[in-house]
Amino acid sequence: MSRTAIQELSDGQTLAQSFQAADKQLRVNRQGGKYILLKLSDRSGTIVGMMWNADETTFDTFDRGDFIHCSGRTQIHNGALQMIVTEIQRMDPAEVDSSDFDRFDADQAESNLTRLRELLATISHPHLDALVQTYLKDEAFLQSFQLAAAAVTNHHAYPGGLLEHTVNMMELVRLISPRYGNLDTDLLMVGAFLHDLGKIDELKSSGEISYTDRGQLVGHIVIGVQRLNEKIAETESASGNAFPTELRHQLEHLVVSHHGLQEYGSPKIPVTLEAIALNHIDNLDAKLASYTSIIESDVAADGNWTNYHPSIGRKLWKGQS
């Protein structure tokens, strides 16, 4: 069954095709009428769906994560494309082409993993090298790392996104660190590798990306420090040598401070040069990925500018059309 990818939809299209129900909520409007708010997804992205004059009977016919056949029409609302849904029918997974919905690019993930190994091979500090080798020898960890997303929304929010984000940051370390002689390149490189590894356990990448129970209760920063100390213990056991306490503390600080500010979720603000650099490198890659996504998905009538986005407080320049 042919379908139009979400990323290719435009204003005023009449549709009758498959989507995945990433989320659903039954809401009540000001007049007391009920409607269903949907988050519809496919391989290319997501779109909001609205089904007016709905009730529990329709709402209960499908679950989050199900494939559904939706009829309706697209429209622009508050600068964003959405779909007004008139009919919903749950689909058997055998009725859909999984390639329309699978967002994991195995070839790209394998390429990123190869590059990760190459970048980590540049580390000359013996204790840091021994630590990263402990991670790289863990096949279960590597498999999970390749599949993990970096976020539910905003940046690199797709299976394989965490590995891509990590490699991007490590590439930036190679470019930036040599410009500043007082930065410890090995330490910063390992910090870029470690900083978000807790997201492997914080987020569920199979199906629609969402938080795990542990992710909701603990969060990726604490999970990342726990994983780090587990790997340090494995490294000590394998080598028979104690891992330097001060180096452990430096690595822990890189993980707990990488969000930069406590109001952004960092238990501690960056106080070492490497931690300050890591925070800005992380923010640079995340922001550029997020803003690029906004530009690519924008449906503004003005070809040179995106719609105004309240979350970032601006329009973005898309270039001459």
Side-chain angles (χ1 to χ4, degrees):
M1 183 184 299
S2 63
R3 63 184 306 279
T4 303
I6 288 173
Q7 195 173 49
E8 298 173 358
L9 295 177
S10 58
D11 185 30
Q13 279 186 266
T14 299
L15 298 172
Q17 65 177 41
S18 59
F19 295 93
Q20 189 166 26
D23 194 15
K24 66 169 188 171
Q25 299 176 36
L26 185 63
R27 294 189 173 185
V28 180
N29 61 28
R30 294 177 181 177
Q31 290 73 41
K34 295 179 181 178
Y35 66 96
I36 300 174
L37 175 63
L38 295 158
K39 181 181 178 184
L40 304 172
S41 69
D42 66 11
R43 179 182 177 87
S44 70
T46 61
I47 187 173
V48 170
M50 304 288 290
M51 186 175 193
W52 303 111
N53 302 315
D55 56 24
E56 288 86 351
T57 302
T58 303
F59 185 78
D60 292 338
T61 59
F62 65 97
D63 295 317
R64 292 178 181 84
D66 281 350
F67 295 108
I68 54 177
H69 188 274
C70 296
S71 299
R73 187 174 180 83
T74 58
Q75 67 174 34
I76 294 177
H77 178 68
N78 289 336
L81 193 67
Q82 66 176 23
M83 180 177 177
I84 302 302
V85 179
T86 56
E87 184 179 356
I88 298 176
Q89 184 175 359
R90 185 181 179 276
M91 301 179 69
D92 189 300
E95 298 180 83
V96 303
D97 184 344
S98 61
S99 65
D100 289 334
F101 298 93
D102 186 1
R103 303 183 70 189
F104 179 63
D105 187 332
D107 291 338
Q108 184 61 52
E110 187 63 35
S111 176
N112 284 332
L113 182 60
T114 297
R115 185 57 181 153
L116 178 83
R117 293 182 185 275
E118 292 171 350
L119 291 164
L120 290 176
T122 66
I123 294 169
S124 59
H125 188 292
H127 291 289
L128 292 176
D129 178 58
L131 175 64
V132 299
Q133 293 307 317
T134 301
Y135 280 91
L136 293 177
K137 291 174 183 175
D138 186 339
E139 290 299 327
F141 159 74
L142 291 178
Q143 183 175 7
S144 297
F145 192 13
Q146 287 186 84
L147 292 169
V152 174
T153 57
N154 296 328
H155 74 94
H156 302 95
Y158 45 84
L162 178 60
L163 178 57
E164 180 180 338
H165 174 52
T166 301
V167 170
N168 286 349
M169 286 180 58
M170 293 169 70
E171 297 281 17
L172 289 171
V173 170
R174 291 182 70 249
L175 294 171
I176 292 170
S177 190
R179 307 290 298 181
Y180 302 93
N182 47 1
L183 282 177
D184 185 327
T185 300
D186 280 355
L187 183 60
L188 184 53
M189 183 72 79
V190 176
F193 169 62
L194 296 173
H195 83 288
D196 265 352
L197 291 184
K199 289 185 175 181
I200 294 172
D201 297 310
E202 181 185 47
L203 301 176
K204 179 173 60 178
S205 294
S206 58
E208 185 61 23
I209 297 166
S210 59
Y211 286 94
T212 63
D213 290 341
R214 188 182 182 198
Q216 293 275 25
L217 291 167
V218 182
H220 75 277
I221 289 177
V222 173
I223 295 171
V225 172
Q226 291 172 339
R227 183 187 288 269
L228 168 61
N229 283 296
E230 290 169 0
K231 289 303 181 187
I232 286 175
E234 290 179 29
T235 303
E236 290 177 325
S237 177
S239 67
N241 299 317
F243 197 86
T245 300
E246 182 179 345
L247 185 58
R248 178 198 298 258
H249 294 164
Q250 292 281 338
L251 294 172
E252 290 173 333
H253 180 68
L254 287 167
V255 175
V256 302
S257 68
H258 76 267
H259 281 187
L261 297 172
Q262 290 177 327
E263 52 263 44
Y264 294 161
S266 276
K268 301 293 290 185
I269 62 172
V271 296
T272 67
L273 292 179
E274 289 77 20
I276 292 166
L278 182 66
N279 166 236
H280 287 286
I281 290 170
D282 183 25
N283 195 45
L284 174 63
D285 186 58
K287 284 291 191 295
L288 287 178
S290 177
Y291 289 10
T292 298
S293 179
I294 289 173
I295 290 170
E296 290 177 345
S297 62
D298 185 72
V299 292
D302 184 345
N304 295 335
W305 294 91
T306 69
N307 285 294
Y308 177 83
H309 285 260
S311 62
I312 62 175
R314 75 199 78 174
K315 295 182 176 182
L316 292 173
W317 171 256
K318 296 195 290 187
Q320 294 287 349
S321 57

